[in-house]
Amino acid sequence: MKLPYSPGRPPATRLSRGSGRFRRGVPALVLAALLAATAGCSSSAEADGLRTPCGLVIDGSGSGDADGKGFDAKAKLESTLVPFLTGRHCGTLAFVPVTRSSQTSSCRVGDVDLDPPGDATADHESMRRTARILALKGAVTMLKCARTQGGSDVLGALARIGDAMPSGRGTPSLLVVSDFEQADPEFTLRVGEITTEKSREQVVEKLLDDRGVPGIAGMNVYPVGYGMRHDAKPGEYQPFDAFWSEILSGRAKAHVHDDYRK
């Protein structure tokens, strides 16, 4: 398989003012909508520079397909990523795939600098908008690669994105485009096995004892597509939500938000 980037975590990508070539490959209607969403979004935070280190986790498993049975990861990515980057004042963006073995996946895309430098005459807002479009293109590239590897190791992806966040640069924000259906070669989450508090605790312990708790303590996590397979079935959704709440908030000590949950 030809990868978009060589293995290893590449350096951050910086843009020049002439980087309009990155707009190609994003559908015209999507691009127009994104530019409209970001135009006029200048704030005092942006005027002082974009400070938040951000991460994207994107699910390449079959449950993210757009076939009426999946949660359509690509559509959710295209509608959510740029508003997330803008609203959270993201200064950098790192990418991580959800695959059958997320931590060791060969799918890699270089970090994007969302606040590229420029001289006194530079149009900084235009450069930032272009950087966000570059980030979307990188996200789609990551999704395409993840879909070639299959599987759904959500926990491993959370661990990998936690490791990718820089230290000492503010509280990271993570956008997780996934239905959170953990299904890898060693572990499959089955709602029927977590319906009671005791059984749920046993399954949580089994998963975390083998792999450890993701290093996302204190980080802000924004799920998109979370639990969509169970939305219409309260008897399934409640134990599913309790399971992940215990892992994300209880054990990993992350702050989970519903701002972009769809």
Side-chain angles (χ1 to χ4, degrees), residues 171-207:
T171 302
S173 288
L174 311 176
L175 184 70
V176 185
V177 183
S178 173
D179 57 2
F180 281 73
E181 295 293 335
Q182 181 79 23
D184 61 70
E186 297 177 338
F187 179 94
T188 298
L189 178 61
R190 295 182 174 87
V191 173
E193 297 177 356
I194 56 171
T195 54
T196 68
E197 184 176 352
K198 181 178 180 180
S199 64
R200 195 159 51 242
E201 180 74 14
Q202 291 173 341
V203 176
V204 168
E205 291 292 345
K206 176 184 177 182
L207 181 59

PDB file of all heavy atoms in Angstrom, residues 171-207:
ATOM      1  N   THR A 171      -4.151  23.364  27.115  1.00  0.00           N
ATOM      2  CA  THR A 171      -4.956  22.141  27.198  1.00  0.00           C
ATOM      3  C   THR A 171      -5.384  21.694  25.810  1.00  0.00           C
ATOM      4  O   THR A 171      -6.069  22.434  25.096  1.00  0.00           O
ATOM      5  CB  THR A 171      -6.203  22.375  28.062  1.00  0.00           C
ATOM      6  OG1 THR A 171      -5.802  22.805  29.362  1.00  0.00           O
ATOM      7  CG2 THR A 171      -7.027  21.105  28.174  1.00  0.00           C
ATOM      8  N   PRO A 172      -5.025  20.484  25.391  1.00  0.00           N
ATOM      9  CA  PRO A 172      -5.396  20.014  24.057  1.00  0.00           C
ATOM     10  C   PRO A 172      -6.901  19.781  23.918  1.00  0.00           C
ATOM     11  O   PRO A 172      -7.594  19.459  24.884  1.00  0.00           O
ATOM     12  CB  PRO A 172      -4.628  18.695  23.919  1.00  0.00           C
ATOM     13  CG  PRO A 172      -3.506  18.795  24.895  1.00  0.00           C
ATOM     14  CD  PRO A 172      -4.073  19.559  26.050  1.00  0.00           C
ATOM     15  N   SER A 173      -7.373  19.939  22.691  1.00  0.00           N
ATOM     16  CA  SER A 173      -8.749  19.594  22.326  1.00  0.00           C
ATOM     17  C   SER A 173      -8.704  18.507  21.265  1.00  0.00           C
ATOM     18  O   SER A 173      -7.948  18.621  20.290  1.00  0.00           O
ATOM     19  CB  SER A 173      -9.495  20.821  21.787  1.00  0.00           C
ATOM     20  OG  SER A 173      -9.794  21.736  22.814  1.00  0.00           O
ATOM     21  N   LEU A 174      -9.519  17.458  21.442  1.00  0.00           N
ATOM     22  CA  LEU A 174      -9.505  16.304  20.552  1.00  0.00           C
ATOM     23  C   LEU A 174     -10.874  16.101  19.929  1.00  0.00           C
ATOM     24  O   LEU A 174     -11.873  15.983  20.643  1.00  0.00           O
ATOM     25  CB  LEU A 174      -9.120  15.038  21.328  1.00  0.00           C
ATOM     26  CG  LEU A 174      -7.879  15.121  22.223  1.00  0.00           C
ATOM     27  CD1 LEU A 174      -7.701  13.810  22.990  1.00  0.00           C
ATOM     28  CD2 LEU A 174      -6.637  15.449  21.410  1.00  0.00           C
ATOM     29  N   LEU A 175     -10.933  16.070  18.611  1.00  0.00           N
ATOM     30  CA  LEU A 175     -12.158  15.741  17.896  1.00  0.00           C
ATOM     31  C   LEU A 175     -12.086  14.265  17.520  1.00  0.00           C
ATOM     32  O   LEU A 175     -11.156  13.836  16.826  1.00  0.00           O
ATOM     33  CB  LEU A 175     -12.291  16.599  16.631  1.00  0.00           C
ATOM     34  CG  LEU A 175     -13.594  16.427  15.841  1.00  0.00           C
ATOM     35  CD1 LEU A 175     -14.769  17.013  16.633  1.00  0.00           C
ATOM     36  CD2 LEU A 175     -13.493  17.110  14.468  1.00  0.00           C
ATOM     37  N   VAL A 176     -13.043  13.472  17.988  1.00  0.00           N
ATOM     38  CA  VAL A 176     -13.031  12.030  17.752  1.00  0.00           C
ATOM     39  C   VAL A 176     -14.235  11.659  16.889  1.00  0.00           C
ATOM     40  O   VAL A 176     -15.363  11.585  17.377  1.00  0.00           O
ATOM     41  CB  VAL A 176     -13.047  11.239  19.075  1.00  0.00           C
ATOM     42  CG1 VAL A 176     -12.918   9.742  18.793  1.00  0.00           C
ATOM     43  CG2 VAL A 176     -11.918  11.705  19.993  1.00  0.00           C
ATOM     44  N   VAL A 177     -13.984  11.451  15.593  1.00  0.00           N
ATOM     45  CA  VAL A 177     -15.050  11.100  14.660  1.00  0.00           C
ATOM     46  C   VAL A 177     -15.135   9.571  14.617  1.00  0.00           C
ATOM     47  O   VAL A 177     -14.437   8.907  13.856  1.00  0.00           O
ATOM     48  CB  VAL A 177     -14.778  11.679  13.261  1.00  0.00           C
ATOM     49  CG1 VAL A 177     -15.929  11.362  12.318  1.00  0.00           C
ATOM     50  CG2 VAL A 177     -14.562  13.196  13.344  1.00  0.00           C
ATOM     51  N   SER A 178     -15.991   9.025  15.457  1.00  0.00           N
ATOM     52  CA  SER A 178     -16.107   7.574  15.608  1.00  0.00           C
ATOM     53  C   SER A 178     -17.405   7.234  16.325  1.00  0.00           C
ATOM     54  O   SER A 178     -17.901   8.027  17.134  1.00  0.00           O
ATOM     55  CB  SER A 178     -14.920   7.028  16.417  1.00  0.00           C
ATOM     56  OG  SER A 178     -15.072   5.653  16.714  1.00  0.00           O
ATOM     57  N   ASP A 179     -17.926   6.045  16.055  1.00  0.00           N
ATOM     58  CA  ASP A 179     -19.094   5.588  16.819  1.00  0.00           C
ATOM     59  C   ASP A 179     -18.680   4.863  18.094  1.00  0.00           C
ATOM     60  O   ASP A 179     -19.514   4.409  18.856  1.00  0.00           O
ATOM     61  CB  ASP A 179     -19.992   4.696  15.968  1.00  0.00           C
ATOM     62  CG  ASP A 179     -19.275   3.481  15.408  1.00  0.00           C
ATOM     63  OD1 ASP A 179     -18.078   3.292  15.708  1.00  0.00           O
ATOM     64  OD2 ASP A 179     -19.909   2.715  14.651  1.00  0.00           O
ATOM     65  N   PHE A 180     -17.357   4.736  18.321  1.00  0.00           N
ATOM     66  CA  PHE A 180     -16.798   4.138  19.538  1.00  0.00           C
ATOM     67  C   PHE A 180     -17.146   2.655  19.680  1.00  0.00           C
ATOM     68  O   PHE A 180     -17.194   2.124  20.781  1.00  0.00           O
ATOM     69  CB  PHE A 180     -17.245   4.905  20.783  1.00  0.00           C
ATOM     70  CG  PHE A 180     -16.467   6.181  21.026  1.00  0.00           C
ATOM     71  CD1 PHE A 180     -16.674   7.293  20.220  1.00  0.00           C
ATOM     72  CD2 PHE A 180     -15.530   6.265  22.038  1.00  0.00           C
ATOM     73  CE1 PHE A 180     -15.962   8.475  20.428  1.00  0.00           C
ATOM     74  CE2 PHE A 180     -14.814   7.431  22.255  1.00  0.00           C
ATOM     75  CZ  PHE A 180     -15.026   8.542  21.450  1.00  0.00           C
ATOM     76  N   GLU A 181     -17.311   1.974  18.559  1.00  0.00           N
ATOM     77  CA  GLU A 181     -17.531   0.527  18.588  1.00  0.00           C
ATOM     78  C   GLU A 181     -16.161  -0.155  18.594  1.00  0.00           C
ATOM     79  O   GLU A 181     -15.532  -0.319  17.556  1.00  0.00           O
ATOM     80  CB  GLU A 181     -18.354   0.082  17.385  1.00  0.00           C
ATOM     81  CG  GLU A 181     -19.768   0.634  17.353  1.00  0.00           C
ATOM     82  CD  GLU A 181     -20.639   0.101  18.476  1.00  0.00           C
ATOM     83  OE1 GLU A 181     -20.354  -1.002  18.991  1.00  0.00           O
ATOM     84  OE2 GLU A 181     -21.610   0.788  18.842  1.00  0.00           O
ATOM     85  N   GLN A 182     -15.676  -0.518  19.769  1.00  0.00           N
ATOM     86  CA  GLN A 182     -14.369  -1.172  19.894  1.00  0.00           C
ATOM     87  C   GLN A 182     -14.460  -2.588  19.342  1.00  0.00           C
ATOM     88  O   GLN A 182     -15.183  -3.437  19.878  1.00  0.00           O
ATOM     89  CB  GLN A 182     -13.942  -1.208  21.361  1.00  0.00           C
ATOM     90  CG  GLN A 182     -12.583  -1.842  21.618  1.00  0.00           C
ATOM     91  CD  GLN A 182     -11.424  -0.908  21.310  1.00  0.00           C
ATOM     92  OE1 GLN A 182     -11.581   0.318  21.311  1.00  0.00           O
ATOM     93  NE2 GLN A 182     -10.257  -1.465  21.063  1.00  0.00           N
ATOM     94  N   ALA A 183     -13.743  -2.857  18.261  1.00  0.00           N
ATOM     95  CA  ALA A 183     -13.786  -4.184  17.638  1.00  0.00           C
ATOM     96  C   ALA A 183     -12.464  -4.418  16.918  1.00  0.00           C
ATOM     97  O   ALA A 183     -12.318  -4.091  15.749  1.00  0.00           O
ATOM     98  CB  ALA A 183     -14.958  -4.284  16.663  1.00  0.00           C
ATOM     99  N   ASP A 184     -11.496  -4.971  17.645  1.00  0.00           N
ATOM    100  CA  ASP A 184     -10.182  -5.257  17.085  1.00  0.00           C
ATOM    101  C   ASP A 184      -9.925  -6.760  17.198  1.00  0.00           C
ATOM    102  O   ASP A 184     -10.756  -7.492  17.744  1.00  0.00           O
ATOM    103  CB  ASP A 184      -9.104  -4.438  17.794  1.00  0.00           C
ATOM    104  CG  ASP A 184      -9.020  -4.741  19.282  1.00  0.00           C
ATOM    105  OD1 ASP A 184      -8.582  -5.855  19.632  1.00  0.00           O
ATOM    106  OD2 ASP A 184      -9.384  -3.872  20.100  1.00  0.00           O
ATOM    107  N   PRO A 185      -8.802  -7.272  16.710  1.00  0.00           N
ATOM    108  CA  PRO A 185      -8.586  -8.721  16.724  1.00  0.00           C
ATOM    109  C   PRO A 185      -8.570  -9.362  18.111  1.00  0.00           C
ATOM    110  O   PRO A 185      -8.774 -10.572  18.239  1.00  0.00           O
ATOM    111  CB  PRO A 185      -7.220  -8.867  16.039  1.00  0.00           C
ATOM    112  CG  PRO A 185      -7.133  -7.685  15.126  1.00  0.00           C
ATOM    113  CD  PRO A 185      -7.792  -6.573  15.885  1.00  0.00           C
ATOM    114  N   GLU A 186      -8.363  -8.571  19.159  1.00  0.00           N
ATOM    115  CA  GLU A 186      -8.260  -9.134  20.510  1.00  0.00           C
ATOM    116  C   GLU A 186      -9.455  -8.818  21.408  1.00  0.00           C
ATOM    117  O   GLU A 186      -9.621  -9.442  22.459  1.00  0.00           O
ATOM    118  CB  GLU A 186      -6.985  -8.621  21.183  1.00  0.00           C
ATOM    119  CG  GLU A 186      -5.703  -9.047  20.486  1.00  0.00           C
ATOM    120  CD  GLU A 186      -4.465  -8.467  21.140  1.00  0.00           C
ATOM    121  OE1 GLU A 186      -4.582  -7.436  21.841  1.00  0.00           O
ATOM    122  OE2 GLU A 186      -3.388  -9.032  20.951  1.00  0.00           O
ATOM    123  N   PHE A 187     -10.265  -7.846  21.008  1.00  0.00           N
ATOM    124  CA  PHE A 187     -11.368  -7.436  21.891  1.00  0.00           C
ATOM    125  C   PHE A 187     -12.502  -6.860  21.055  1.00  0.00           C
ATOM    126  O   PHE A 187     -12.289  -6.008  20.202  1.00  0.00           O
ATOM    127  CB  PHE A 187     -10.887  -6.382  22.893  1.00  0.00           C
ATOM    128  CG  PHE A 187     -11.967  -5.897  23.831  1.00  0.00           C
ATOM    129  CD1 PHE A 187     -12.133  -6.475  25.074  1.00  0.00           C
ATOM    130  CD2 PHE A 187     -12.812  -4.857  23.454  1.00  0.00           C
ATOM    131  CE1 PHE A 187     -13.134  -6.027  25.934  1.00  0.00           C
ATOM    132  CE2 PHE A 187     -13.818  -4.406  24.301  1.00  0.00           C
ATOM    133  CZ  PHE A 187     -13.972  -4.999  25.551  1.00  0.00           C
ATOM    134  N   THR A 188     -13.725  -7.322  21.334  1.00  0.00           N
ATOM    135  CA  THR A 188     -14.925  -6.764  20.711  1.00  0.00           C
ATOM    136  C   THR A 188     -15.916  -6.390  21.802  1.00  0.00           C
ATOM    137  O   THR A 188     -16.249  -7.227  22.654  1.00  0.00           O
ATOM    138  CB  THR A 188     -15.579  -7.757  19.742  1.00  0.00           C
ATOM    139  OG1 THR A 188     -14.669  -8.053  18.676  1.00  0.00           O
ATOM    140  CG2 THR A 188     -16.859  -7.178  19.149  1.00  0.00           C
ATOM    141  N   LEU A 189     -16.341  -5.142  21.805  1.00  0.00           N
ATOM    142  CA  LEU A 189     -17.313  -4.684  22.792  1.00  0.00           C
ATOM    143  C   LEU A 189     -18.703  -5.174  22.406  1.00  0.00           C
ATOM    144  O   LEU A 189     -19.210  -4.870  21.330  1.00  0.00           O
ATOM    145  CB  LEU A 189     -17.305  -3.154  22.857  1.00  0.00           C
ATOM    146  CG  LEU A 189     -18.318  -2.516  23.821  1.00  0.00           C
ATOM    147  CD1 LEU A 189     -18.047  -2.962  25.259  1.00  0.00           C
ATOM    148  CD2 LEU A 189     -18.281  -0.995  23.705  1.00  0.00           C
ATOM    149  N   ARG A 190     -19.316  -5.952  23.312  1.00  0.00           N
ATOM    150  CA  ARG A 190     -20.664  -6.473  23.089  1.00  0.00           C
ATOM    151  C   ARG A 190     -21.570  -5.927  24.189  1.00  0.00           C
ATOM    152  O   ARG A 190     -21.338  -6.170  25.379  1.00  0.00           O
ATOM    153  CB  ARG A 190     -20.656  -8.005  23.096  1.00  0.00           C
ATOM    154  CG  ARG A 190     -19.855  -8.606  21.933  1.00  0.00           C
ATOM    155  CD  ARG A 190     -19.905 -10.126  21.957  1.00  0.00           C
ATOM    156  NE  ARG A 190     -19.272 -10.703  20.766  1.00  0.00           N
ATOM    157  CZ  ARG A 190     -17.969 -10.969  20.673  1.00  0.00           C
ATOM    158  NH1 ARG A 190     -17.154 -10.715  21.705  1.00  0.00           N
ATOM    159  NH2 ARG A 190     -17.472 -11.491  19.560  1.00  0.00           N
ATOM    160  N   VAL A 191     -22.589  -5.198  23.775  1.00  0.00           N
ATOM    161  CA  VAL A 191     -23.458  -4.523  24.740  1.00  0.00           C
ATOM    162  C   VAL A 191     -24.103  -5.520  25.694  1.00  0.00           C
ATOM    163  O   VAL A 191     -24.305  -5.228  26.883  1.00  0.00           O
ATOM    164  CB  VAL A 191     -24.530  -3.690  24.003  1.00  0.00           C
ATOM    165  CG1 VAL A 191     -25.539  -3.120  25.001  1.00  0.00           C
ATOM    166  CG2 VAL A 191     -23.880  -2.555  23.226  1.00  0.00           C
ATOM    167  N   GLY A 192     -24.395  -6.705  25.208  1.00  0.00           N
ATOM    168  CA  GLY A 192     -25.019  -7.713  26.067  1.00  0.00           C
ATOM    169  C   GLY A 192     -24.149  -8.143  27.231  1.00  0.00           C
ATOM    170  O   GLY A 192     -24.655  -8.718  28.209  1.00  0.00           O
ATOM    171  N   GLU A 193     -22.852  -7.859  27.161  1.00  0.00           N
ATOM    172  CA  GLU A 193     -21.919  -8.240  28.223  1.00  0.00           C
ATOM    173  C   GLU A 193     -21.660  -7.124  29.230  1.00  0.00           C
ATOM    174  O   GLU A 193     -20.898  -7.317  30.172  1.00  0.00           O
ATOM    175  CB  GLU A 193     -20.593  -8.677  27.599  1.00  0.00           C
ATOM    176  CG  GLU A 193     -20.726  -9.916  26.711  1.00  0.00           C
ATOM    177  CD  GLU A 193     -19.420 -10.295  26.037  1.00  0.00           C
ATOM    178  OE1 GLU A 193     -18.427  -9.547  26.200  1.00  0.00           O
ATOM    179  OE2 GLU A 193     -19.386 -11.335  25.349  1.00  0.00           O
ATOM    180  N   ILE A 194     -22.308  -5.936  29.056  1.00  0.00           N
ATOM    181  CA  ILE A 194     -22.044  -4.803  29.960  1.00  0.00           C
ATOM    182  C   ILE A 194     -23.348  -4.193  30.481  1.00  0.00           C
ATOM    183  O   ILE A 194     -23.416  -3.003  30.787  1.00  0.00           O
ATOM    184  CB  ILE A 194     -21.204  -3.711  29.251  1.00  0.00           C
ATOM    185  CG1 ILE A 194     -21.889  -3.243  27.959  1.00  0.00           C
ATOM    186  CG2 ILE A 194     -19.805  -4.223  28.953  1.00  0.00           C
ATOM    187  CD1 ILE A 194     -21.218  -2.028  27.326  1.00  0.00           C
ATOM    188  N   THR A 195     -24.382  -5.004  30.586  1.00  0.00           N
ATOM    189  CA  THR A 195     -25.690  -4.469  30.970  1.00  0.00           C
ATOM    190  C   THR A 195     -25.817  -4.181  32.459  1.00  0.00           C
ATOM    191  O   THR A 195     -26.685  -3.406  32.874  1.00  0.00           O
ATOM    192  CB  THR A 195     -26.803  -5.441  30.554  1.00  0.00           C
ATOM    193  OG1 THR A 195     -26.521  -6.738  31.093  1.00  0.00           O
ATOM    194  CG2 THR A 195     -26.896  -5.524  29.036  1.00  0.00           C
ATOM    195  N   THR A 196     -24.987  -4.797  33.291  1.00  0.00           N
ATOM    196  CA  THR A 196     -25.022  -4.518  34.720  1.00  0.00           C
ATOM    197  C   THR A 196     -23.743  -3.814  35.138  1.00  0.00           C
ATOM    198  O   THR A 196     -22.719  -3.881  34.445  1.00  0.00           O
ATOM    199  CB  THR A 196     -25.159  -5.820  35.537  1.00  0.00           C
ATOM    200  OG1 THR A 196     -23.952  -6.593  35.402  1.00  0.00           O
ATOM    201  CG2 THR A 196     -26.351  -6.637  35.049  1.00  0.00           C
ATOM    202  N   GLU A 197     -23.807  -3.133  36.273  1.00  0.00           N
ATOM    203  CA  GLU A 197     -22.628  -2.412  36.756  1.00  0.00           C
ATOM    204  C   GLU A 197     -21.458  -3.359  36.997  1.00  0.00           C
ATOM    205  O   GLU A 197     -20.306  -3.047  36.663  1.00  0.00           O
ATOM    206  CB  GLU A 197     -22.970  -1.657  38.037  1.00  0.00           C
ATOM    207  CG  GLU A 197     -21.825  -0.806  38.562  1.00  0.00           C
ATOM    208  CD  GLU A 197     -22.225   0.009  39.772  1.00  0.00           C
ATOM    209  OE1 GLU A 197     -23.429   0.032  40.118  1.00  0.00           O
ATOM    210  OE2 GLU A 197     -21.323   0.638  40.378  1.00  0.00           O
ATOM    211  N   LYS A 198     -21.756  -4.537  37.553  1.00  0.00           N
ATOM    212  CA  LYS A 198     -20.693  -5.496  37.838  1.00  0.00           C
ATOM    213  C   LYS A 198     -20.059  -6.029  36.552  1.00  0.00           C
ATOM    214  O   LYS A 198     -18.821  -6.076  36.430  1.00  0.00           O
ATOM    215  CB  LYS A 198     -21.247  -6.659  38.654  1.00  0.00           C
ATOM    216  CG  LYS A 198     -20.191  -7.693  39.025  1.00  0.00           C
ATOM    217  CD  LYS A 198     -20.787  -8.805  39.883  1.00  0.00           C
ATOM    218  CE  LYS A 198     -19.716  -9.838  40.238  1.00  0.00           C
ATOM    219  NZ  LYS A 198     -20.288 -10.944  41.083  1.00  0.00           N
ATOM    220  N   SER A 199     -20.884  -6.422  35.589  1.00  0.00           N
ATOM    221  CA  SER A 199     -20.332  -6.961  34.340  1.00  0.00           C
ATOM    222  C   SER A 199     -19.578  -5.883  33.575  1.00  0.00           C
ATOM    223  O   SER A 199     -18.546  -6.145  32.951  1.00  0.00           O
ATOM    224  CB  SER A 199     -21.454  -7.536  33.470  1.00  0.00           C
ATOM    225  OG  SER A 199     -22.367  -6.536  33.052  1.00  0.00           O
ATOM    226  N   ARG A 200     -20.073  -4.664  33.634  1.00  0.00           N
ATOM    227  CA  ARG A 200     -19.408  -3.542  32.957  1.00  0.00           C
ATOM    228  C   ARG A 200     -18.031  -3.295  33.561  1.00  0.00           C
ATOM    229  O   ARG A 200     -17.045  -3.087  32.845  1.00  0.00           O
ATOM    230  CB  ARG A 200     -20.294  -2.302  33.070  1.00  0.00           C
ATOM    231  CG  ARG A 200     -19.926  -1.197  32.134  1.00  0.00           C
ATOM    232  CD  ARG A 200     -21.097  -0.264  31.934  1.00  0.00           C
ATOM    233  NE  ARG A 200     -21.701   0.211  33.158  1.00  0.00           N
ATOM    234  CZ  ARG A 200     -22.958  -0.031  33.523  1.00  0.00           C
ATOM    235  NH1 ARG A 200     -23.731  -0.782  32.766  1.00  0.00           N
ATOM    236  NH2 ARG A 200     -23.444   0.447  34.639  1.00  0.00           N
ATOM    237  N   GLU A 201     -17.961  -3.337  34.871  1.00  0.00           N
ATOM    238  CA  GLU A 201     -16.681  -3.143  35.556  1.00  0.00           C
ATOM    239  C   GLU A 201     -15.679  -4.223  35.144  1.00  0.00           C
ATOM    240  O   GLU A 201     -14.493  -3.929  34.915  1.00  0.00           O
ATOM    241  CB  GLU A 201     -16.902  -3.175  37.065  1.00  0.00           C
ATOM    242  CG  GLU A 201     -15.639  -2.974  37.900  1.00  0.00           C
ATOM    243  CD  GLU A 201     -15.145  -1.550  37.892  1.00  0.00           C
ATOM    244  OE1 GLU A 201     -15.903  -0.655  37.461  1.00  0.00           O
ATOM    245  OE2 GLU A 201     -13.985  -1.316  38.301  1.00  0.00           O
ATOM    246  N   GLN A 202     -16.157  -5.443  35.012  1.00  0.00           N
ATOM    247  CA  GLN A 202     -15.270  -6.544  34.628  1.00  0.00           C
ATOM    248  C   GLN A 202     -14.722  -6.351  33.212  1.00  0.00           C
ATOM    249  O   GLN A 202     -13.537  -6.593  32.953  1.00  0.00           O
ATOM    250  CB  GLN A 202     -16.028  -7.877  34.728  1.00  0.00           C
ATOM    251  CG  GLN A 202     -16.344  -8.290  36.148  1.00  0.00           C
ATOM    252  CD  GLN A 202     -17.231  -9.522  36.219  1.00  0.00           C
ATOM    253  OE1 GLN A 202     -17.919  -9.888  35.246  1.00  0.00           O
ATOM    254  NE2 GLN A 202     -17.235 -10.198  37.364  1.00  0.00           N
ATOM    255  N   VAL A 203     -15.576  -5.898  32.301  1.00  0.00           N
ATOM    256  CA  VAL A 203     -15.140  -5.695  30.917  1.00  0.00           C
ATOM    257  C   VAL A 203     -14.179  -4.505  30.824  1.00  0.00           C
ATOM    258  O   VAL A 203     -13.179  -4.551  30.100  1.00  0.00           O
ATOM    259  CB  VAL A 203     -16.359  -5.494  29.990  1.00  0.00           C
ATOM    260  CG1 VAL A 203     -15.902  -5.173  28.568  1.00  0.00           C
ATOM    261  CG2 VAL A 203     -17.234  -6.744  29.977  1.00  0.00           C
ATOM    262  N   VAL A 204     -14.462  -3.444  31.561  1.00  0.00           N
ATOM    263  CA  VAL A 204     -13.548  -2.290  31.598  1.00  0.00           C
ATOM    264  C   VAL A 204     -12.183  -2.717  32.104  1.00  0.00           C
ATOM    265  O   VAL A 204     -11.136  -2.374  31.526  1.00  0.00           O
ATOM    266  CB  VAL A 204     -14.121  -1.157  32.480  1.00  0.00           C
ATOM    267  CG1 VAL A 204     -13.055  -0.092  32.759  1.00  0.00           C
ATOM    268  CG2 VAL A 204     -15.332  -0.520  31.810  1.00  0.00           C
ATOM    269  N   GLU A 205     -12.181  -3.486  33.189  1.00  0.00           N
ATOM    270  CA  GLU A 205     -10.911  -3.944  33.759  1.00  0.00           C
ATOM    271  C   GLU A 205     -10.154  -4.819  32.769  1.00  0.00           C
ATOM    272  O   GLU A 205      -8.926  -4.695  32.625  1.00  0.00           O
ATOM    273  CB  GLU A 205     -11.170  -4.725  35.053  1.00  0.00           C
ATOM    274  CG  GLU A 205     -11.674  -3.895  36.211  1.00  0.00           C
ATOM    275  CD  GLU A 205     -10.631  -2.923  36.735  1.00  0.00           C
ATOM    276  OE1 GLU A 205      -9.447  -3.080  36.401  1.00  0.00           O
ATOM    277  OE2 GLU A 205     -11.010  -2.009  37.492  1.00  0.00           O
ATOM    278  N   LYS A 206     -10.872  -5.691  32.086  1.00  0.00           N
ATOM    279  CA  LYS A 206     -10.218  -6.577  31.114  1.00  0.00           C
ATOM    280  C   LYS A 206      -9.551  -5.773  30.018  1.00  0.00           C
ATOM    281  O   LYS A 206      -8.389  -6.024  29.654  1.00  0.00           O
ATOM    282  CB  LYS A 206     -11.246  -7.538  30.510  1.00  0.00           C
ATOM    283  CG  LYS A 206     -10.662  -8.436  29.425  1.00  0.00           C
ATOM    284  CD  LYS A 206     -11.730  -9.308  28.785  1.00  0.00           C
ATOM    285  CE  LYS A 206     -11.148 -10.141  27.656  1.00  0.00           C
ATOM    286  NZ  LYS A 206     -12.177 -10.979  26.983  1.00  0.00           N
ATOM    287  N   LEU A 207     -10.245  -4.786  29.486  1.00  0.00           N
ATOM    288  CA  LEU A 207      -9.705  -3.984  28.394  1.00  0.00           C
ATOM    289  C   LEU A 207      -8.525  -3.138  28.850  1.00  0.00           C
ATOM    290  O   LEU A 207      -7.474  -3.100  28.192  1.00  0.00           O
ATOM    291  CB  LEU A 207     -10.809  -3.088  27.814  1.00  0.00           C
ATOM    292  CG  LEU A 207     -10.415  -2.206  26.632  1.00  0.00           C
ATOM    293  CD1 LEU A 207      -9.923  -3.034  25.464  1.00  0.00           C
ATOM    294  CD2 LEU A 207     -11.600  -1.330  26.210  1.00  0.00           C
TER     295      LEU A 207
END
